[in-house]
Structures are given as C-alpha cells and as structure tokens.
C-alpha cells in the first residue's frame, strides 16, 4: 500500500501556489531514503510572479520606520518559539537530523538571531553629519538595496534561511528565497509563519516569498532583472556561477561558500579535552558544515597519542535514528552526497590509514560512520578538497612555521582553530591564519553579534552581526547648501 506524498507549494504574494506548469520533484527523507513529499519545480513564470510580488511590496516595506519592522521581526521570533515543534519536525524530516539536537542547537540560536536583527533595524550607522566644505552640510542615508534573491543550502536549511531573511527584512528589503531542492519543507513552513505575521500586522504580503526548485530555478532568480542583490550559501562552483550571472547587470552579490577549516593542535594542548571538543565539532551535523573541524594538524610529538584518542572518540560517537537522544548526528543529506563521501574514501592514497570508520552504516538512508584518517600529505585530495561528511583527517607538523604554511595551504578560508596554552603563540597564529574566523581552544561556537564569513574561495560578505546587516544596505550622500 503506497502512502500519499505530502504536497509542498511555493509561497508567492501571500498565497501558497503550485508551479505554474504543474511540475514537481520528490523530496526524500535522508534517514529512510524514501520520498515523503513533492515540491514545485519552479520555472520562469513562477520566478516572475515572486519577483513582481516582492517588487510591488518593496516601497511600503522600505518606507516603514525601523521600529515597525522591528515589531514584525520580534513577532516572527515569538512565533518561531510558539511553533517550535512544527519547525523541529519539518527540519528533521528535511535532513534526517536528530530531533533533540534540532530542539537544543537550532531553535534557540535562530530565535536569538531574528531578535538580534530586529534590534539592528534601529541602529543604522554612518559617518557624522557635518560641514566638510564651507557653506554645505553633508549627511549619510543608509537605505535598503531593494529586492533580494536568496538561495539557501541543504545542510542547515532552516537556520540559513534565518541568516538570509532576518537581516534583509530588518534593513527594509523584500525577499524571494529558494531552499535547496532536497530540503524545502522547513522553508515552506517558515513562509507560513512569516506570512501570518505580515497579515496580522497589516503589511504587504509580497514582503517574503518562497520559490521551490532546482539549480535552474536559482539561475533564473539570480539573472532576473528585478533583484538588486543575490545571496547564496553553497558550493564554490555555485558561488562562481552566481557571481558570473550577477555581473551581467552588476547586481550586488553575497557569497558564503565552502570551507576546509584547519584545526592546529600544539604539543601543550590538553589532549583529552581537545579530542572531545574537536570530535564533536567535526562530526556534528554529519560534518556537513563549512566550518566543521575536519582537517586536524597536530604536532609530531603528540601525534600518535592524539590519533589514538581521536579514533577512540570516533568509535564511541553514534549516528542513527532521529528519535534516539544518544546520537550526535544523522545521515548525509542525499544519495549524491553519500556517493561523494564514499568516493573520497575509495580514492585514498596508499600512504593514508583509516583509523576509524570509513564505511556506510545501515541498509537504509544515507548514514556514514564517524571516520578518522591519518598518514596524509598536504597535497592529498582529501586534505585539499571539502568532503562535507563525518571524516576527520590528521597531519603531523614539525613546527609553528610548517603548521601555518599547511593550514593556509588550501583554496578555502572560512574558519580555523588553534589549540595551545601559550597565549603569545595563540595571538601569533590568530594573526597569520588566513581565515575569516579563528577560534582558540574551541571550534564552531557562533554568536549573533559576531560576523561569519570567509576569504579566498570561501566567498565574500558576512552573515550575522552588524556587518551582515550592513551588507543588505546601501549608502547615499546628501549634501545641502547653507545659503538657503
């Protein structure tokens, strides 16, 4: 007996709609490998409709005083808390994530982030007004950029949607957001929440719109004439394509792309504590995190002891069902991602040694064992390229100079960490590591007040913080004559 699939729909101008041409894709629960829903495969007509709605809503939303936009965001945050269990269930089905971890690790920070940007809406910054030329007064206006086309990833579809819509709406922009084709469910639910708040407070329905679809849908959004800004969290390849497409009409672009975070462990480190924290930061969310602690560089004097302890921690780390409160992470997001992770393992060079894991777990879904690989060289594929899975690699370095060289010796530059009791060394490393974030004796904590974003092929632009808010604004100089 076949169970009917749930039907997800686009959210355009305050209405849930199927794709104009009726096309759909199946949405698969990665914990079971089985389809549970269908979602629109949106095309040009759907993108046109969403952009028209956002464009029509923009003037009224832009012209609201910040305090009114703050009220909307604060109510959205309240509604997230009220409907938390719905959001948890949707995200768990979306991604196969353990329910308890979504409840404890995603809902609270998302609510906090929305409230942070609600406050940021009322803290517009600019240079001091004044007379910089005799007889004239200059002032700075900080304004929203316009309609924002936003593309969210599948690793944290719900939280990344928040990182995008919250600063955009707070700054006075309107939004058309596309979730990944593998994880649309929680974003569609977010549309229901935001839409109900906009209705209750009497604001235009087109302020927030959701379009489901694939890469072609995203391309149509980025190339559309209406958006003033394109924002994407995704792969380097996707980011490059967005930047190229946006360049044709000089759209502003915000890119948060891949990562290959070095975790530099010196000989004076508290090994048990470091191993405990690094294993969690490496395996959380199945390693599907651009900042995951998956590339460990450890001093040669403690290498063997550290690897043995890390392999033991991996063996004790559990992956499994969404309702098992003892698991640290769920499955990889989709069949293609499972294939990619397996491919890295299959192509390991002869000098590499699998210390733990290295194989798929179970006979359904896309689960992969927590893995540790040692004996690697700087030029190895698995060291240079983002695996995006629960795989931690370990290299042995001789001194601080070599540690810095190897840490910086990749194309990514999003996040990093240093583990040492030597304060001066930690400060030197934080200066020389070429990454957007350097953690010291920790890895992966984020706060709404501090920026998240990288350099090099990890992209440009910041999420979170006042810097992230500023990315969704433009600056205008107004000069007036004092002659009357």
């Amino acid at each position: 007996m076949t169970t009917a699939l749930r039907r997800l729909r686009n959210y355009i101008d305050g209405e849930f709609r199927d794709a104009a041409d009726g096309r759909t894709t199946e949405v698969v629960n990665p914990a079971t490998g089985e389809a549970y829903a269908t979602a629109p495969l949106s095309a040009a007509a759907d993108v046109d409709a969403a952009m028209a709605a956002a464009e029509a809503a923009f003037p009224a939303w832009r012209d609201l005083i910040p305090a009114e936009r703050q009220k909307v965001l604060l109510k959205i945050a309240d509604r997230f808390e009220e409907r938390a269990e719905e959001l948890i269930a949707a995200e768990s089905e979306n991604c196969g994530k353990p329910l308890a971890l979504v409840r404890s690790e995603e809902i609270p920070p998302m609510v906090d982030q929305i409230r942070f940007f609600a406050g940021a809406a009322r803290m517009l910054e600019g240079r001091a007004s004044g007379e910089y030329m005799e007889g004239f007064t200059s002032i700075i206006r900080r304004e929203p950029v316009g309609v924002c086309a936003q593309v969210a990833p599948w690793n944290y579809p719900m939280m990344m949607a928040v990182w995008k819509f919250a600063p955009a709406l707070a700054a006075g922009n309107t939004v058309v957001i596309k979730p990944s084709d593998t994880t649309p469910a929680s974003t569609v639910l977010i549309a229901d929440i935001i839409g109900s708040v906009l209705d209750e407070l009497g604001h235009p329905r087109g302020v927030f719109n959701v379009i489901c679809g694939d890469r072609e849908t995203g391309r149509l959004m980025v190339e559309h004439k209406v958006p003033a800004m394109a924002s994407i969290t995704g792969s380097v390849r996707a980011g490059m394509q967005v930047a190229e497409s946006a360049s044709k009409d000089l759209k502003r672009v915000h890119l948060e792309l891949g990562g290959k975070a070095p975790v530099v462990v010196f000989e004076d480190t508290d090994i048990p504590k470091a191993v405990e924290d690094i294993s969690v930061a490496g395996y959380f969310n199945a390693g599907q995190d651009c900042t995951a602690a998956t590339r460990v560089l450890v001093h040669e004097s403690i290498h063997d002891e550290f690897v043995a302890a890390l392999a033991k921690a991996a063996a004790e780390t559990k992956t499994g069902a969404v309702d098992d409160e003892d698991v640290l992470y769920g499955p990889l997001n989709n069949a293609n991602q499972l294939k990619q992770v397996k491919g890295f393992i299959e192509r390991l060079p002869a000098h590499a040694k699998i210390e733990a894991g290295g194989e798929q777990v179970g006979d359904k879904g896309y689960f992969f064992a927590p893995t540790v690989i040692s004996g690697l060289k700087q030029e190895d594929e698995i060291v240079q390229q983002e695996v995006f899975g629960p795989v931690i690699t370990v290299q042995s370095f001789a001194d601080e100079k070599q540690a810095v060289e190897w840490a910086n010796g990749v194309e990514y530059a999003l996040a990093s960490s240093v583990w040492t009791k030597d304060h001066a060394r930690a400060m030197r490393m934080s200066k020389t590591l070429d990454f957007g974030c350097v953690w010291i004796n920790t890895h992966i904590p984020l706060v709404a007040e501090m920026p998240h974003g990288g350099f090099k092929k990890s992209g440009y632009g910041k999420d979170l913080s006042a810097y992230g808010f500023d990315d969704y604004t433009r600056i205008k100089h107004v000069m007036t004559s004092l002659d009357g």
Side-chain angles (χ1 to χ4, degrees):
M1 190 172 174
T2 303
T3 303
L5 301 182
R6 188 162 79 253
R7 185 176 68 170
L8 304 173
R9 292 185 290 176
N10 292 330
Y11 187 79
I12 300 173
D13 203 16
E15 297 179 349
F16 285 101
R17 308 180 188 179
D18 296 322
D21 61 9
R23 291 192 303 159
T24 63
T25 57
E26 288 191 344
V27 185
V28 173
N29 184 332
T32 64
E34 298 175 354
Y36 70 91
T38 62
L41 184 55
S42 299
D46 308 296
V47 174
D48 286 344
M51 293 300 174
E55 185 177 35
F58 174 64
W61 186 252
R62 174 198 62 201
D63 293 344
L64 281 177
I65 63 170
E68 292 302 313
R69 292 198 296 270
Q70 181 189 49
K71 288 179 183 177
V72 175
L73 285 161
L74 290 175
K75 186 168 281 290
I76 290 170
D78 292 345
R79 200 61 53 83
F80 266 54
E81 287 184 323
E82 293 164 12
R83 300 181 65 177
E85 291 306 312
E86 293 176 69
L87 290 165
I88 292 163
E91 192 73 338
S92 181
E93 199 167 33
N94 246 351
C95 308
K97 295 185 181 187
L99 293 162
L101 287 174
V102 179
R103 183 175 292 109
S104 65
E105 304 300 322
E106 296 199 30
I107 296 294
M110 286 192 308
V111 170
D112 179 67
Q113 289 152 10
I114 296 169
R115 288 175 176 152
F116 171 83
F117 284 114
R122 301 179 70 170
M123 289 293 290
L124 300 174
E125 292 188 355
R127 302 286 183 182
S129 299
E131 291 67 53
Y132 298 93
M133 178 181 289
E134 188 174 343
F136 298 88
T137 295
S138 289
I139 64 172
I140 293 294
R141 290 182 58 87
R142 188 175 287 275
E143 302 175 342
V145 297
V147 175
C148 297
Q150 302 182 320
V151 179
W154 48 250
N155 59 333
Y156 292 99
M158 187 163 61
M159 186 176 291
M160 295 302 97
V162 168
W163 286 21
K164 293 189 181 302
F165 80 71
L169 295 184
N173 304 285
T174 55
V175 165
V176 178
I177 188 168
K178 187 191 86 67
S180 168
D181 55 343
T182 66
T183 57
S186 57
T187 311
V188 171
L189 179 56
I190 287 172
D192 184 55
I193 292 172
I194 294 178
S196 67
V197 171
L198 291 170
D199 270 352
E200 287 174 22
L201 298 181
H203 297 297
R205 290 181 164 195
V207 167
F208 182 82
N209 307 271
V210 172
I211 289 286
C212 300
D214 58 9
R215 288 179 182 173
E216 175 64 11
T217 312
R219 183 188 67 79
L220 291 169
M221 289 173 57
V222 172
E223 293 184 358
H224 201 278
K225 67 182 186 300
V226 166
M229 179 174 180
S231 169
I232 178 175
T233 300
S235 68
V236 173
R237 181 183 66 176
M240 289 179 171
Q241 290 171 345
V242 166
E244 182 179 1
S245 295
S247 70
K248 295 174 184 177
D249 57 1
L250 297 179
K251 284 185 179 69
R252 185 179 295 200
V253 178
H254 184 283
L255 304 174
E256 200 276 276
L257 309 177
K260 194 67 181 175
V263 181
V264 185
V265 182
F266 285 97
E267 66 277 8
D268 60 345
T269 299
D270 181 336
I271 293 177
K273 181 67 165 60
V275 165
E276 179 184 359
D277 291 354
I278 291 168
S279 61
V280 171
Y283 297 134
F284 187 81
N285 204 43
Q288 298 170 125
D289 190 314
C290 297
T291 62
T294 55
R295 182 167 66 104
V296 174
L297 306 171
V298 60
H299 191 268
E300 59 188 12
S301 65
I302 62 168
H303 174 270
D304 292 351
E305 181 183 357
F306 188 91
V307 169
L310 191 60
K312 182 174 183 291
E316 294 171 352
T317 299
K318 187 176 178 181
T319 180
V322 300
D323 56 355
D324 186 340
E325 296 193 0
D326 292 329
V327 306
L328 178 64
Y329 67 89
L332 296 168
N333 182 259
N334 55 73
N336 285 339
Q337 189 60 25
L338 176 62
K339 181 180 179 181
Q340 176 172 304
V341 174
K342 284 182 173 180
F344 275 101
I345 303 301
E346 293 164 358
R347 295 189 300 273
L348 283 174
H351 54 261
K353 180 182 179 183
I354 298 176
E355 303 280 355
E359 72 280 330
Q360 185 175 354
V361 176
D363 57 1
K364 68 176 183 177
Y366 311 128
F367 295 91
F368 201 83
T371 299
V372 177
I373 302 171
S374 67
L376 293 164
K377 299 179 181 179
Q378 180 67 11
E379 64 272 15
D380 289 338
E381 177 197 33
I382 201 167
V383 169
Q384 291 293 319
Q385 300 301 317
E386 188 173 33
V387 179
F388 225 55
V391 178
I392 297 177
T393 64
V394 184
Q395 297 167 259
S396 174
F397 68 84
D399 54 32
E400 187 175 319
K401 180 181 177 181
Q402 188 176 62
V404 171
E405 179 185 348
W406 285 358
N408 289 341
V410 294
E411 293 183 324
Y412 304 93
L414 182 58
S416 59
S417 64
V418 179
W419 300 75
T420 180
K421 296 176 183 176
D422 185 330
H423 177 74
R425 179 160 58 191
M427 292 298 96
R428 289 194 303 272
M429 292 293 291
S430 67
K431 176 183 176 181
T432 54
L433 285 173
D434 190 22
F435 295 83
C437 174
V438 181
W439 286 292
I440 298 174
N441 294 325
T442 188
H443 194 109
I444 229 166
L446 295 169
V447 292
E449 293 86 351
M450 290 292 115
H452 176 83
F455 314 135
K456 294 160 60 174
K457 286 191 175 179
S458 289
Y460 44 82
K462 297 296 183 183
D463 289 312
L464 303 177
S465 78
Y467 300 100
F469 177 82
D470 287 350
D471 281 352
Y472 286 94
T473 68
R474 66 183 190 181
I475 297 171
K476 179 186 289 182
H477 169 218
V478 180
M479 179 180 270
T480 184
S481 170
L482 297 181
D483 290 342

